[in-house]
Amino acid sequence: MLQPFTCIRLGLCVLGLLGAAAVCYAAELDVQASKVVDHLHVLASFSDDTFPAVTRILFTPMDMEARAYVKSLMTEVGLEIREDAMGNIYGKWQGSDAGLGSVLTGSHCDAIPLAGMYDGTLGVIGALEALAALKRAGFRPRRSLEVVMFTSEEPTRFKLSCVGSRAMAGALAADTLDVKLDENGTSFLEAANAVGYGGASHQAILDSTRTPKGSVDFFVELHIEQGPLLEQENTDIGVVTAIAAPAALEVHFYGDGGHAGAQLMPLR
């Protein structure tokens, strides 16, 4: 069932885009939140597990079907579609001033095993509805507005998160990708090439994916709160001021092994 906060969140997403894209624009915006929910349900059907669980692993058949669906929605909104070698998908609404950087908005559509239907996907589908609402209102952007679907945000297949966005930012090294294999021994390069992305090497992929300096001036992401506070406080939307910063460590212990109950602390 459609929740009222969805309308408010999407409306604010639209206003955030509008504020960054142009000066004052007073037209009332028709945000069709029910359509967003419908699209999210369709995306949730592209899953290796049955609803309400969603499992959609990078470059698998379900992931490719979800990508095709997102691209069909971009076409429906009237956006110019571009895909890079890493697998990031962009839908662009060209602004009137080509000299200005874009306003970029979006998230991801891959899903860890047994995930939910809103994580990441709301940021993509909500962004598409935001641009659609602006178009229905007759808005003409000065800055280009772009929706992005990041590839491989989740670490499920290659044990490395935010692959697409790291590559865009120039924050990913080829030697990091070179040693990442999935459970079948497949490299990212092999998996990407098999579905029509990729390139001659990981370095070639990264070089072609890097976002040119000055081409993007703003980024905004609509995301569900994966916690209870907004609901507990009866608040529809919040602005993030800090995020979790997970880290993976490899720790080596040296010494003799022993039974926990018999190995005295001074001897450990």
Side-chain angles (χ1 to χ4, degrees):
M1 183 172 61
L2 176 64
Q3 300 295 326
F5 70 77
T6 306
C7 301
I8 297 171
R9 286 185 172 193
L10 290 173
L12 286 172
C13 183
V14 171
L15 294 175
L17 287 170
L18 182 59
V23 293
C24 181
Y25 188 74
E28 185 173 341
L29 296 171
D30 172 27
V31 178
Q32 298 178 3
S34 60
K35 182 183 291 186
V36 171
V37 176
D38 291 342
H39 291 322
L40 290 172
H41 275 281
V42 174
L43 266 182
S45 71
F46 304 126
S47 171
D48 291 321
D49 286 292
T50 56
F51 187 83
V54 178
T55 300
R56 194 162 46 240
I57 309 303
L58 177 71
F59 297 151
T60 61
M62 289 296 99
D63 181 46
M64 299 311 294
E65 288 193 38
R67 288 167 177 271
Y69 184 67
V70 168
K71 287 186 284 186
S72 74
L73 297 181
M74 289 180 171
T75 299
E76 186 179 301
V77 176
L79 305 181
E80 179 183 322
I81 298 174
R82 175 175 67 87
E83 298 176 81
D84 61 29
M86 187 65 69
N88 296 310
I89 302 173
Y90 306 82
K92 186 173 185 177
W93 182 5
Q94 185 66 51
S96 60
D97 190 341
L100 296 175
S102 296
V103 179
L104 187 65
T105 181
S107 194
H108 66 98
C109 287
D110 59 326
I112 63 173
L114 306 178
M117 64 179 281
Y118 299 105
D119 180 22
T121 54
L122 180 60
V124 176
I125 303 303
L128 288 171
E129 176 56 24
L131 267 63
L134 289 172
K135 287 200 169 202
R136 287 192 291 268
F139 176 66
R140 295 293 181 269
R142 187 162 61 95
R143 294 181 182 275
S144 294
L145 305 181
E146 291 190 77
V147 176
V148 61
M149 194 199 89
F150 296 119
T151 200
S152 192
E153 194 273 349
E154 303 291 6
T156 309
R157 183 165 184 181
F158 292 102
K159 306 300 183 286
L160 182 66
S161 62
C162 303
V163 173
S165 54
R166 288 191 200 191
M168 290 170 61
L172 183 60
D175 56 3
T176 299
L177 282 177
D178 289 340
V179 298
K180 295 294 183 181
L181 304 176
D182 69 8
E183 61 183 10
N184 297 314
T186 303
S187 69
F188 185 93
L189 180 66
E190 292 168 331
N193 282 332
V195 295
Y197 298 115
S201 65
H202 286 131
Q203 188 61 60
I205 294 176
L206 294 173
D207 290 343
S208 64
T209 300
R210 181 75 163 94
T211 301
K213 186 176 182 180
S215 62
V216 175
D217 282 350
F218 300 94
F219 176 76
V220 57
E221 179 177 7
L222 177 67
H223 203 283
I224 60 166
E225 181 199 25
Q226 294 169 296
L229 295 183
L230 291 179
E231 184 177 11
Q232 287 178 357
E233 298 176 6
N234 197 29
T235 300
D236 293 307
I237 193 166
V239 178
V240 172
T241 58
I243 61 173
L249 303 177
E250 182 176 307
V251 180
H252 296 270
F253 293 94
Y254 298 93
D256 297 327
H259 190 284
Q263 189 78 353
L264 302 179
M265 292 301 294
L267 302 178
R268 295 188 182 190

